[in-house]
Amino acid sequence: MAKIKVLALGLTLTLALLAVPAYSQVGRVEDSPHPPCNETQPGAVVAAWALPAVAAQSGHDAREARAKPLRLAAPNKVTLVTGASARLAVPPGGAEQPKQYVYVGIAAFQVPEDRTYRVVTDEGMRIDVVADGKLVEASAFGRGPNCSGKFVDFSLHAGEAMLQLVGAPYETVTVLILPR
């Protein structure tokens, strides 16, 4: 009987010690720790990204996209369309985007000379460039300025190119196209 009383007393003390009042957390709450960011962008990209964005509109197809081309070397704040209403020039490359990311962009731009161009966005969607009716293969990709968004490099020839953005989570996205 004495053993039971000692165990009961020990259990009571343990429970009393565990019943300490909880204090609220101080500071910002984050979902999970962010991986360290070591992505760096060339100075020209960082400087251009800091410029005020110009308003731009995605087309529903290539014809509409040609009517309002994007400006090179300036951030373009592009209003996208829903994927159901868009007719892409060619099917997007890569893996399928999540179903809830329904926004798409089709935008024309002029390539002034043969060289590599960097396309930077503030969101992590699929970025394709179409030239001569075919997808252009990317030569590099990574995270955008301040480790947000995404960049993709493409080797392009002078003339017209189409930018296809697929799987954006929001109706607007900032896009910068800059020669490397």
Side-chain angles (χ1 to χ4, degrees), residues 52-117:
V54 296
Q57 176 66 47
S58 168
H60 289 87
D61 57 27
R63 183 185 56 75
E64 282 185 13
R66 286 184 184 101
K68 298 175 186 169
L70 296 179
R71 287 182 47 194
L72 264 59
N76 296 265
K77 187 151 186 103
V78 182
T79 302
L80 306 173
V81 298
T82 60
S85 69
R87 287 191 312 272
L88 299 172
V90 298
E96 190 172 317
Q97 298 298 306
K99 296 288 184 213
Q100 69 270 27
Y101 294 172
V102 299
Y103 295 103
V104 171
I106 306 167
F109 64 98
Q110 287 299 315
V111 178
E113 62 179 317
D114 293 5
R115 65 189 295 179
T116 299
Y117 290 81

Side-chain angles (χ1 to χ4, degrees), residues 88 91-93 97 101 103-105 124-128 164-168:
L88 299 172
Q97 298 298 306
Y101 294 172
Y103 295 103
V104 171
M125 72 211 69
R126 177 75 196 175
I127 300 171
D128 288 323
Q164 292 187 162
L165 304 170
V166 178

Side-chain angles (χ1 to χ4, degrees), residues 167-178:
Y170 305 108
E171 190 176 10
T172 60
V173 64
T174 302
V175 176
L176 171 67
I177 304 171
L178 197 67

Side-chain angles (χ1 to χ4, degrees), residues 11-23:
L11 181 59
T12 304
L13 286 174
T14 302
L15 289 174
L17 289 174
L18 290 177
V20 177
Y23 295 99

